[in-house]
Each structure stands twice: as structure tokens, then as C-alpha cells.
Amino acid sequence: MSVSHVDLQTSNAKLRVFIHLAENKDAGRWKAGFADGSLVGINDDTPYGYGRANALGCTVSFSKAHRETLAGKMLRYGLRLLLGFDFVHAWRQRHEFENADVIWTHTESQYLAVAAVARLRGIRTKIIGQTVWLFDSWNMLSAPKRYLYSFLIKRVDVLTFLSPANMQVADTLFPDSDLRLVSFGIPAETTVAPRVRHQKPMKILAIGNDRHRDWRTLVDVVRGQPDFALTILSGTVPRRVVAGIPNVEVRLAKSTRELTDGFDAASVVCVPLQENLHASGITAIEEAVLAGVPVIASDTGGLRHYFSDKEIIYVPPGDRPALLDALLHVRDCPEEACKMAVRAQGRMGPGGLGADEYIHNHVRISHDILREGAELQTATAAVQTVKTLA
């Protein structure tokens, strides 16, 4: 594991950065959704804010979705199901891979595909691979997949992680790899000042679609509390979990405006989680913090790397009595909850958590590995010269 140390102010390199994302994260579609408000959440006009690297001495381009015949789509989906990553989508970007200085990816699904194409084509472009879910499920993978993924991971120049818990597992599996912790951040330019919230009934908001949301625990806690009103904005809640419970509403937010209105009406945002390694829920937490709403979250996934228990309230995963106590505390002590929201919001913005720092870290790492590669080439050339002279 190493720490990035390149000073961007003194680096004059013009990096050609290619961002390889999932097929459904086409930058053109993303920008259109951002413009018309249908891209729900606090977002940038480029996917995950990666376009901000253009202001940091980079020339950024993005992977593109291609028109497909039915047969082509079936082939792509079939290979994705077999391999666990979208090889065909990556193969279609192979020429862009070759013309870049460095390739950034957002999840392991993308970097495994990029590495596979790079191996097959002999592409030497540097790869930064961001890992999200892979090491949560590593031990459940088949032996052939573990072998294949290990082979591909060794082609990735730097593995980045959103959580120290995730990186610790990776360090035991790949001790020779370059592993770096990069805090995830969303655009933090706009904030809503926290305020004391006295709503009756207490309005609880829960959002998100991550696979590790623990909806059952939250619903069980709210079920017997008629003075609680829970709204869940998600498409992943099993209907049987909420059926027949009058103080629980489940729906999708169809626009950013709907999400913003939900934050404005909420007494607290609750992020219930199952045990995980990858900072599940961090996007929802950061959105709530920017909206000035107090947050309760399950204490798992390395979330304390982002916010301390002076800034949000943590409860053990799956602990119903602890979650109920936390909700009652926010209800009964709204002034204290507001102070926590103020402290949490102070963690966001310049020099703290946010899209700018997230992208800065990618640029720093890119400079690191390109400089290290150049130094290695120089050293190799010197050795060859000495051998020739000898």
C-alpha cells in the first residue's frame, strides 16, 4: 500500500484520461438526464464528476454505448453473465484504450473487462481500477473465476478502494499490488443549512438501492411506532416486507426535485445496512449531510472513515433496539441532532469530502504511476546501455 504524493501545482503533464464506465452510464445519456432533472441525486453533468479532471490538466473522454442488434446484445449479455464483467462493451472501446495515457474505472466490473482487453491486445496503457463489491463476495466465487480475476487484477496498475475495510482484505489477497484509499465524494458546492426539526409525527427518510440495504430491520422498528412515518425512496424493497404497514410508504423518486423535497420534509435520514466492506450507503449519507438532515447509519463498511460518531449516529447492523433508541434520541433531542448535522456538513467541501477531492486523487495517482513508469523505462534503458557497452 502506498500514498500518492504528486503536487498537482508543479506537474505540467497533460494527461489523456479515458473513463471506462458501465454501458448504461454513457456520458451523453448522463448529461441529458442531468439537464432534464431525471437523473436523481446530487450529480455532476459528467458521470460521477470525472469530467472535472479537464480543469486539472487532463483531456478526458468517456466510454460510449454502441447501437446493438438483438444478436449483439444477447452475445454481450451472455458473456457478461458467464464472465461476471462486460467484455464486449470494453472490446468496443479498445482503440480509445490504446490512445490514452491512463484508464479510470468506477467498479471492478469495468476494470476486469479493461484488463482482459489489455491482455489480449497487448495494450500497455495504465489502468486505475476502483473496487466496490468484489471482495465482499470473493470467497463465494468459483475457483475458475478467482483464478481469472487474479490474473486480470495483476494487469491493473493501481487498485483503489472507497473503504479501508475493503482494502484490508485486498491486501491479504494481493500483497504485491499497489492499493490506495480514495474517499468517494459527490458535488458539494450546494448545501442547505441544518435546522432544528420538530415534525410530528417524526418523518424518517431512507433512500438507496445498494444490495446491502437492510430494509427489514428498519421497517420492523417503525412498524410498532404510530408516531413515526417512514418514507423509503427505493426500487429494491420487497413488497412483502412493507405490506399492510400504514406508517410506511415505498416509492421511487422520479426526479431530483422529489428527492430534495424528501430531504426538506424529513426529521432524519436513516441508512440501515447489512454487514459489508465497501462503504455501502456513503452516497445517501453525503446527500443527506449536504441537505442539512441528521443521519443515523449502521456501523459497517468503513463509514467511520468518512464521518465520526460526533457527526452522525451509528448503530450496530441489525440491532433493532439500538436503532429505535437512536430514532427516539433524534426525536427527543432535535437541537443536539441539528448540531451533529452542522458538524457533518463541515466535513464536506474544499479540502474535505466531495467530488473535487475525489477527482483530484485520481489525477494525483495518475501522475504517480506515469512518473514511476517513465522512471522504470529510463532505468531499464540505462541497464541495457551498460550491457551493450560491456
Side-chain angles (χ1 to χ4, degrees):
M1 288 181 280
S2 56
V3 178
S4 178
H5 55 272
V6 168
D7 183 352
L8 294 177
Q9 301 302 317
T10 61
S11 176
N12 296 316
K14 189 75 172 177
L15 294 179
R16 294 171 298 172
V17 178
F18 184 76
I19 317 291
H20 184 67
L21 302 174
E23 192 271 346
N24 65 353
K25 296 297 186 293
D26 178 87
R29 296 178 195 166
W30 181 289
K31 189 168 186 176
F34 178 82
D36 65 21
S38 61
L39 182 65
V40 180
I42 299 175
N43 291 296
D44 193 81
D45 66 345
T46 62
Y48 308 106
Y50 287 121
R52 296 180 180 219
N54 281 311
L56 300 172
C58 301
T59 301
V60 177
S61 56
F62 291 88
S63 56
K64 295 180 175 62
H66 286 64
R67 290 187 177 181
E68 295 178 305
T69 63
L70 178 59
K73 182 175 289 188
M74 290 178 64
L75 172 64
R76 183 167 66 83
Y77 281 13
L79 278 176
R80 189 174 73 179
L81 180 64
L82 176 67
L83 298 172
F85 54 84
D86 196 340
F87 175 80
V88 173
H89 174 55
W91 181 257
R92 290 168 176 166
Q93 323 296 323
R94 61 192 181 279
H95 299 303
E96 284 74 16
F97 294 169
E98 292 171 338
N99 293 327
D101 295 313
V102 62
I103 301 165
W104 298 354
T105 62
H106 198 66
T107 75
E108 55 277 342
S109 179
Q110 287 95 62
Y111 75 65
L112 291 171
V114 172
V117 173
R119 290 280 197 189
L120 286 172
R121 297 274 297 186
I123 297 171
R124 301 179 66 182
T125 304
K126 301 295 185 181
I127 303 170
I128 298 177
Q130 180 164 280
T131 296
V132 181
W133 302 286
L134 181 60
F135 295 113
D136 282 274
S137 58
W138 184 265
N139 290 332
M140 293 180 281
L141 295 174
S142 66
K145 275 192 175 178
R146 286 199 301 271
Y147 178 84
L148 172 63
Y149 291 0
S150 297
F151 174 70
L152 296 176
I153 283 171
K154 290 173 183 176
R155 172 59 186 84
V156 178
D157 296 275
V158 174
L159 292 173
T160 63
F161 300 86
L162 308 181
S163 163
N166 217 343
M167 191 166 73
Q168 184 176 5
V169 173
D171 190 39
T172 64
L173 294 169
F174 300 97
D176 296 328
S177 292
D178 188 346
L179 313 180
R180 312 206 190 187
L181 186 63
V182 175
S183 298
F184 182 70
I186 62 176
E189 290 78 16
T190 302
T191 60
V192 177
R195 69 177 192 274
V196 177
R197 297 172 183 244
H198 286 291
Q199 294 98 329
K200 290 186 178 181
M202 182 182 186
K203 296 182 179 179
I204 304 163
L205 178 66
I207 62 175
N209 296 301
D210 187 277
R211 64 188 70 174
H212 283 96
R213 287 295 193 277
D214 183 6
W215 299 124
R216 185 177 296 278
T217 292
L218 177 58
V219 170
D220 285 349
V221 167
V222 170
R223 184 196 306 269
Q225 302 293 327
D227 55 341
F228 288 173
L230 170 61
T231 298
I232 302 177
L233 302 180
S234 175
T236 64
V237 184
R239 291 296 167 181
R240 66 182 181 279
V241 172
V242 298
I245 305 176
N247 60 338
V248 177
E249 176 191 17
V250 178
R251 57 185 171 85
L252 284 173
K254 297 179 181 179
S255 67
T256 298
R257 181 66 189 179
E258 284 188 49
L259 178 63
T260 301
D261 289 345
F263 284 134
D264 185 59
S267 309
V268 65
V269 168
C270 188
V271 185
L273 301 165
Q274 301 169 15
E275 295 277 6
N276 71 90
L277 300 173
H278 63 269
S280 175
I282 189 55
T283 301
I285 290 172
E286 290 184 356
E287 288 178 335
V289 167
L290 291 173
V293 189
V295 176
I296 298 170
S298 301
D299 189 6
T300 186
L303 291 176
R304 286 180 183 269
H305 168 72
Y306 292 85
F307 296 97
S308 74
D309 55 12
K310 292 181 172 59
E311 295 151 352
I312 69 174
I313 299 174
Y314 289 107
V315 297
D319 191 328
R320 290 167 175 77
L323 179 54
L324 176 59
D325 286 346
L327 290 167
L328 293 173
H329 179 75
V330 171
R331 184 197 67 182
D332 296 339
C333 306
E335 292 83 5
E336 183 179 339
C338 180
K339 291 177 182 177
M340 294 187 75
V342 169
R343 290 192 291 268
Q345 202 172 90
R347 294 274 295 121
M348 305 287 294
L353 298 170
D356 279 348
E357 187 63 20
Y358 176 65
I359 303 307
H360 267 79
N361 278 326
H362 279 75
V363 176
R364 292 185 185 104
I365 293 170
S366 298
H367 279 294
D368 274 358
I369 58 179
L370 288 169
R371 187 196 63 246
E372 290 162 4
E375 290 174 351
L376 179 61
Q377 286 183 340
T378 300
T380 302
V383 170
Q384 291 299 326
T385 301
V386 170
K387 288 182 177 179
T388 301
L389 293 174

